[in-house]
Each structure stands twice: as C-alpha cells, then as structure tokens.
Amino acid sequence: MPNIRLVAATILCVAASVVAHAEDTEPAWRASALAMVPPGFVAGTAYRTDGSTGYLAVDAATSNDPKTPASVFAARQALVVMLTADATRAVSAELKPRTGPDPDNDDTDFAQLHAELAAKRASLPEGTEPCDLGAWSIDKDPSGLNVRAEPSVKARVLGTLPPPYRLKLGGSENTPEGGWLTEFRIIGFKDGWFLIEGAKPPGKDYEDKRYPRSAPKPYAGRGWAASNKVGAAYANGATRMGGLFQAPFVDAKWMPAQRELGAALDTDGGPRRILACSGLWGLVESHDGVRGWWRALCSNQVTNCS
C-alpha cells in the first residue's frame, strides 16, 4: 500500500508540532475528573474544554491486552465532564459516545489513512483486523518460519521464510553480524497471528547486484505467521517519543518506556515483542516490560526509520 505510506510521510511535520505540545496543555479540571472515570476504563488526555464542559479521552482497560487488543477503527467513548463556573474542577461526569476526533488532534490527519485501510477489510479473511506495518522474521529455526493458510498451528503450511542469512562475498558484503532477516508487510491480525505478504529474499535490497542466485527464496504470497516469530523497528509515526500509548490513539494514556540499551524509547531499535496490530499501530512490549501501542513500525535493517 505505497499510497498510504506516501500520504503518511507528508503529514509527519505538521503532526509532530501538535504532539510536541500535547503534554503541556492539560487543563486544571482533569485531576479532579480522574476520580469519575468508570471502572474498566483508563483516562487519557483532556482534549477539549468548552465553557463549563470538559471532554476526557477514555479507553477500555483491556486495550493493551494482546488477547483483547483495541481497534483504531472502533467507535470510541469520552467522559463528558460538567465543570465549575471557572472551569477548574469537575462537578459530575457521564460516559458518552465520541462523535469524532478533536480538530487539534493529529489523529484527524491520520483518519484518511485508516479509512483507506478500513475499506480493504472486505478483501481480508473474516475477522481480520486491517494493518499496514513493516516487519521481519526473527525465527532462527534452520527450517525457516512456517507461513500458514489459516491463523492456527494446525493449518496447512503454504511456504516458509528463511532464517537469518549470512551472505558471503569475499569480504565485500554488507551482512550484519546476526545475518540478514527476511522482511515483509503485515496487512492484518487475528488471534495472535499476523497476516503477511510480499516477503523479500533476506538482504537482497541491501547488497549489490552480485546477490547470489543460490540465496534462499522466501514464500512471498499471503499467509499467516505467528506473532511471537515476528519483529520490527520503531518508525516515526508523528507521536510523542519516549513511551507507548495504552490504546491506539494519540490522546490515550501515555506510558514512559525504554529501548534495549536503557535510554528513552525512540526510533533507534525495536520492541522486545510485537503482540498485535490495528491500522498503522502496533501493540508492542518494550525492553523494560511496558506493553502499549506505537504508531508505525518498519523493516529497515541498515538505518532507523526516522
């Protein structure tokens, strides 16, 4: 889906300027409204104040559970808060359907991209959550990663993806120490499995024209890969750096997280695990054990995806 990725790239600069100030705009009334959040929900950003009415983003507490991951395509709710006359404290609150994204929220820009993905749902197997992410196989089994016809270990194997491949060209190769990984696109998710397609021969995009004909050839068609065998790198999704979101929305609760070497999470490296996906978001686990959503994952093995 190159059109989606192209549109995404063109809006990053505008979106980033919004995100940079998002954490500094919390109104005074939010603190008192937190006690009014119903059980089973988690408070996010207070995204709007209209006179004596405030609006607080809320998401299901199970949004970052890989067994019940949230969907960026699902209708959301908001906590509508009645405020004091000076709009500094909450008086009462009611959970109501959310009619649309905040016009100052960069999710408005990404809504077009997700609408394009939602339109493709009919072309996917029933019950599949549409996604668009870059990824690679982390399976080191010499036999390769099985790509199956259904999201089940009992399903027919359509083909395999090679394990890490160490290309040898007499010292002129660019092969990393661990070998080249097999890259592909994630186009869907269901029950702990990713629907993938477009797998490329490991390292072919990074080596010169002497890439050997004897190199392993992955199954490039559409099929299912177990989520615990899939990895990726963080890409710049024009969201707040340094952590993960509790749900796949930029106004969901934000949680600090770290990358593998201990610094605040950014586009260097990737998550410990990829658990699920929805649209342009991936549900991941960081290297310090934080489980949450990051927008945009890529499969570039030679540089970061900033």
Side-chain angles (χ1 to χ4, degrees):
M1 285 174 275
N3 58 322
I4 290 179
R5 294 194 289 275
L6 178 60
V7 174
T10 64
I11 65 178
L12 291 184
C13 292
V14 174
S17 64
V18 174
V19 174
H21 302 289
E23 59 268 32
D24 300 324
T25 59
E26 290 293 323
W29 59 262
R30 182 182 183 277
S32 57
L34 295 180
M36 301 178 184
V37 176
F41 288 88
V42 175
T45 301
Y47 64 90
R48 187 184 307 158
T49 304
D50 289 338
S52 60
T53 305
Y55 297 84
L56 182 64
V58 293
D59 294 286
T62 57
S63 294
N64 60 341
D65 186 335
K67 295 181 180 179
T68 56
S71 172
V72 74
F73 306 103
R76 298 180 73 194
Q77 293 181 295
L79 193 68
V80 180
V81 185
M82 299 298 106
L83 308 175
T84 54
D86 59 0
T88 60
R89 293 189 58 81
V91 176
S92 63
E94 183 180 1
L95 201 63
K96 291 186 177 182
R98 189 163 172 176
T99 56
D102 176 38
D104 295 326
N105 189 318
D106 75 319
D107 265 1
T108 302
D109 297 319
F110 278 85
Q112 174 189 346
L113 308 180
H114 282 121
E116 292 181 30
L117 285 175
K120 299 178 184 295
R121 186 184 293 273
S123 67
L124 302 177
E126 184 177 357
T128 301
E129 180 77 353
C131 305
D132 183 22
L133 299 169
W136 51 54
S137 169
I138 59 173
D139 194 351
K140 296 182 180 179
D141 187 327
S143 299
L145 172 61
N146 289 328
V147 180
R148 299 182 180 272
E150 302 288 342
S152 168
V153 294
K154 298 180 180 179
R156 177 170 57 93
V157 175
L158 300 173
T160 61
L161 305 183
Y165 175 56
R166 292 172 175 81
L167 181 63
K168 296 181 179 179
L169 293 173
S172 61
E173 66 278 353
N174 301 314
T175 308
E177 183 178 351
W180 291 115
L181 306 177
T182 301
E183 302 177 11
F184 48 81
R185 299 299 301 178
I186 295 176
I187 63 170
F189 173 81
K190 182 179 181 181
D191 300 334
W193 292 75
F194 290 121
L195 183 62
I196 69 170
E197 66 180 13
K200 302 178 181 179
K204 187 173 183 179
D205 286 350
Y206 306 106
E207 298 289 354
D208 60 24
K209 297 180 180 180
R210 293 185 297 165
Y211 191 81
R213 294 183 179 180
S214 60
K217 297 176 177 59
Y219 170 75
R222 181 178 293 190
W224 296 91
S227 62
N228 64 347
K229 303 296 185 182
V230 174
Y234 293 120
N236 185 356
T239 59
R240 183 179 178 182
M241 294 287 179
L244 302 170
F245 293 89
Q246 191 266 341
F249 306 99
V250 296
D251 57 13
K253 178 183 177 181
W254 182 85
M255 304 168 290
Q258 295 185 338
R259 50 190 173 94
E260 187 172 8
L261 299 180
L265 194 153
D266 58 18
T267 55
D268 283 335
R272 175 191 292 170
R273 294 193 297 166
I274 307 176
L275 305 167
C277 63
S278 180
L280 302 173
W281 293 81
L283 176 59
V284 304
E285 181 181 302
S286 65
H287 284 275
D288 60 333
V290 179
R291 190 173 61 199
W293 293 86
W294 178 276
R295 186 163 63 192
L297 296 174
C298 75
S299 57
N300 194 317
Q301 297 179 63
V302 297
T303 185
N304 64 32
C305 301
S306 59

